[in-house]
Each structure stands twice: as structure tokens, then as C-alpha cells.
């Protein structure tokens, strides 16, 4: 695929998400995975930062050190782990490549292979077709969804964590580096739910207080029957409106579900909330998508 058809644009606007096969070639997926294996082999994580990523999309930030590690990760490459992968001394009890939930949040800035995918002409063409005038990259993540232990991600909206005024200016780009199936934890969506606004926000707490983030409001209760699965083959992409409700189940299979994902904001006439956990820095302002 080189861009979107008019029918695909309309489907994205109506449903709040769009699945497209063949965004990357299998060889491109393999190179991204190979580079990630090298990053994992080389990772050095302080003991106090060996924190877990929970099913509520919040870090278990039980110390000032681990809280700082998360909230200052927007311009860095940092490591977040699954439950039960460390002993009481913080040592790995599983192979380190099987320990990770995700790596974030600035692969797009520091890793050339990931930067090239993020700023590819294909991605620029998609954004232009969707009418994004001045898109910038907010963050990027590599998500592992480990076999057998890859945690559930409960129903949520990305705008809860990446809030803008007006709403509707953020889009997630979710690239499957392996087949994403119902068995290994593909995404599920409530079509059209991006039209109902949000009821919960993750915000920074006042300076000098702990914990460093908190939630305002609460998530709606969702009828499980409304969710539709969105399986996608290796190399496919899912475009995710910032307000569409989505989730993924625990991976109980013996196959991983590796994904490279990043978020884009159309910055023209948009205000990025100073209360968001993620903030641009002097070292890494949000880089423009179009080159």
C-alpha cells in the first residue's frame, strides 16, 4: 500500500480505526525485530527501575526512582517489564528477552531503523490522505506481548493519556511485526466509539508531590459484546483514532505478538496539555512527521 483510498478514509472516520495489510514487507519486520533483540541484549536497567506495566495502563511506581524513570522516558529508550519476571532481589527469573512488556518512548528519535519506518513516505502519504496538516511524533513503543504471560490491556482511549484541545488530534499507528491473532492478543475495538468523548484523564500531579501522576474521572463501563476483533498479519498496520475504545486480551498462546507503535498529533491549531505525563523536552521537541 502507498496511500489510502477514499473508501478507507471514510471507514477510518466512521469506525475510528482502520486495518491495512502490507504496510511493511516481511523483511522490514524482521530487521526491526533483529535490532530490538540487540537492544534487549545490551540493556542495563538499575534495580529500582525494574518496574512492571500493569493491566490498568499505569506503571507500578512504588518509589521516587521508578516514578522518575517512567515520567522522564519521553525522550529516551527505557524498559518496562511484565509481572513476575524478577525475584525479591530484582534479578531476572526468566530469560531477559521474555521479561519485557514494552520499550519506550523515543525509539523514533534514537534508533535509525525505527525512525525510517516512522517517517517513511508511506506514513507521510497516509497522514496527508487523512488531512493531517502539521503532524508531529509524540512517542513510540515496542510492545512484546510475551507468549503465555503477555498481559491484558483493559478497555481504554489513547486520549486519556495523550490529551489535546480540541480532542481528535491524535492517531496511533500500530504495526504488527508478527501475525496478531485472537489467540495471541490482537486488538479489539468498539466501532464508532470515538464520537463519544472521554471520561478519564491521566494527569501530572502538582510539582513536589508523590505519586507523580493520577487519574481524573473514571472509565466508562463497556458492553463486551460491542468489541470487534482486528487481527492483522505480519507487516500490517492498524490506524487508531485517539478516542476510539480498544483493548487486547492476555496472550495465553505460545506465540509472541511483537508490535512497533507510535502516536502522531496534528499540531496545527492544537494545544498539547501541560498536564499530560508526556512532555516535549529541549533535547527532543516533538519532531515533525513530514520531511
Amino acid at each position: 500500500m502507498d496511500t489510502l483510498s477514499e473508501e478507507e478514509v471514510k471507514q477510518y472516520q466512521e469506525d475510528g480505526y482502520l486495518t491495512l495489510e502490507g504496510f511493511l514487507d516481511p523483511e522490514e519486520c524482521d530487521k526491526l525485530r533483529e535490532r530490538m533483540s540487540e537492544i534487549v541484549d545490551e540493556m542495563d536497567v538499575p534495580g529500582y527501575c525494574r518496574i512492571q506495566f500493569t493491566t490498568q495502563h499505569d506503571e507500578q511506581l512504588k518509589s521516587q526512582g521508578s516514578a522518575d524513570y517512567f515520567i522522564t522516558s519521553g525522550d529516551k529508550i527505557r524498559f518496562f517489564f511484565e509481572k513476575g519476571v524478577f525475584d525479591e532481589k530484582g534479578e531476572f527469573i526468566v530469560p531477559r528477552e521474555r521479561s519485557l512488556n514494552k520499550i519506550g518512548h523515543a525509539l523514533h528519535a534514537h534508533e535509525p531503523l525505527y525512525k525510517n519506518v516512522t517517517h517513511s513516505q508511506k506514513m507521510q502519504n497516509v497522514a496527508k490522505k487523512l488531512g493531517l496538516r502539521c503532524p508531529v511524533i509524540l512517542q513510540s513503543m515496542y510492545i512484546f506481548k510475551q507468549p503465555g504471560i503477555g498481559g491484558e490491556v483493559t478497555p481504554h482511549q489513547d486520549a486519556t493519556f495523550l490529551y489535546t484541545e480540541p480532542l481528535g488530534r491524535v492517531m496511533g499507528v500500530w504495526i504488527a511485526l508478527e501475525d496478531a491473532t485472537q489467540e495471541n492478543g490482537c486488538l479489539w475495538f468498539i466501532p464508532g466509539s470515538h464520537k463519544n468523548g472521554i471520561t478519564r484523564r491521566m494527569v501530572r500531579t502538582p510539582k513536589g508531590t508523590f505519586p507523580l501522576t493520577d487519574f481524573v474521572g473514571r472509565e466508562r463501563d463497556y458492553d463486551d459484546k460491542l468489541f470487534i476483533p482486528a487481527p492483522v498479519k505480519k507487516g500490517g498496520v492498524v490506524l487508531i483514532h485517539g478516542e476510539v475504545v480498544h483493548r487486547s486480551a492476555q496472550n495465553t498462546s505460545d506465540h509472541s505478538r511483537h508490535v512497533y507503535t507510535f502516536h502522531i498529533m496534528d499540531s496545527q491549531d492544537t494545544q498539547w496539555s501541560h498536564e499530560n505525563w508526556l512532555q516535549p523536552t529541549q533535547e527532543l521537541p516533538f519532531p515533525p512527521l513530514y520531511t
Side-chain angles (χ1 to χ4, degrees):
M1 57 152 289
D2 291 318
T3 188
L4 304 181
S5 67
E6 295 297 335
E7 291 76 16
E8 289 168 334
V9 170
K10 184 177 180 180
Q11 184 178 349
Y12 174 78
Q13 293 170 342
E14 287 296 314
D15 293 344
Y17 72 98
L18 180 67
T19 300
L20 302 165
E21 300 289 357
F23 185 74
L24 294 185
D25 295 331
E27 295 76 20
E28 293 177 286
C29 296
D30 293 341
K31 288 179 181 178
L32 292 172
R33 292 188 61 200
E34 289 165 8
R35 176 57 190 142
M36 185 51 60
S37 293
E38 295 172 354
I39 293 171
V40 172
D41 286 342
E42 297 163 2
M43 74 176 173
D44 182 20
V45 186
Y48 67 84
C49 295
R50 297 186 177 195
I51 59 179
Q52 302 167 354
F53 192 75
T54 74
T55 60
Q56 282 71 40
H57 260 239
D58 189 16
E59 308 299 332
Q60 290 187 341
L61 306 177
K62 296 180 179 179
S63 71
Q64 187 73 38
S66 59
D68 287 340
Y69 184 78
F70 167 67
I71 207 166
T72 60
S73 65
D75 59 0
K76 302 174 183 67
I77 295 176
R78 288 187 168 168
F79 308 93
F80 304 94
F81 299 93
E82 291 287 359
K83 288 183 178 180
V85 300
F86 299 113
D87 63 18
E88 64 278 2
K89 297 179 181 179
E91 301 296 330
F92 289 102
I93 58 176
V94 300
R96 59 173 48 205
E97 65 272 13
R98 290 291 187 97
S99 69
L100 285 152
N101 175 287
K102 69 173 186 176
I103 294 178
H105 290 95
L107 290 162
H108 64 282
H110 300 305
E111 283 294 323
L113 287 178
Y114 294 89
K115 183 176 182 178
N116 290 342
V117 168
T118 306
H119 292 271
S120 69
Q121 192 60 55
K122 282 183 181 180
M123 190 63 244
Q124 294 186 46
N125 291 345
V126 166
K128 289 174 181 176
K129 192 70 177 180
L130 289 173
L132 305 187
R133 296 160 294 178
C134 198
V136 295
I137 311 301
L138 301 175
Q139 65 165 0
S140 55
M141 297 179 285
Y142 191 104
I143 302 175
F144 294 83
K145 203 73 165 181
Q146 303 286 1
I149 63 169
E152 173 192 13
V153 177
T154 54
H156 68 282
Q157 298 162 285
D158 291 346
T160 290
F161 309 94
L162 307 172
Y163 181 78
T164 63
E165 293 181 355
L167 282 170
R169 299 303 176 88
V170 171
M171 179 177 73
V173 180
W174 195 94
I175 304 171
L177 304 182
E178 303 177 287
D179 291 351
T181 67
Q182 292 190 44
E183 290 70 35
N184 70 357
C186 72
L187 295 174
W188 293 65
F189 292 90
I190 299 180
S193 56
H194 62 302
K195 302 174 183 178
N196 300 324
I198 66 172
T199 59
R200 183 174 71 133
R201 286 183 57 198
M202 180 183 182
V203 298
R204 287 181 175 237
T205 54
K207 191 173 182 179
T209 61
F210 186 83
L212 302 183
T213 61
D214 199 1
F215 283 97
V216 177
R218 64 181 297 274
E219 199 72 43
R220 295 184 181 94
D221 294 323
Y222 301 108
D223 184 347
D224 195 59
K225 296 177 182 177
L226 297 177
F227 284 91
I228 304 296
V232 62
K233 292 193 175 298
K234 178 179 178 178
V237 65
V238 186
L239 305 179
I240 305 171
H241 190 285
E243 293 163 75
V244 73
V245 178
H246 58 291
R247 62 173 174 83
S248 67
Q250 182 179 356
N251 182 4
T252 57
S253 78
D254 56 3
H255 298 286
S256 58
R257 191 220 65 187
H258 288 205
V259 166
Y260 175 56
T261 182
F262 54 94
H263 285 89
I264 297 170
M265 175 183 71
D266 191 349
S267 63
Q268 186 165 318
D269 301 323
T270 304
Q271 182 177 344
W272 179 252
S273 175
H274 69 276
E275 293 182 319
N276 286 336
W277 77 267
L278 175 68
Q279 295 295 324
T281 64
Q282 185 175 353
E283 294 76 19
L284 183 62
F286 294 147
L289 172 66
Y290 299 148
T291 55

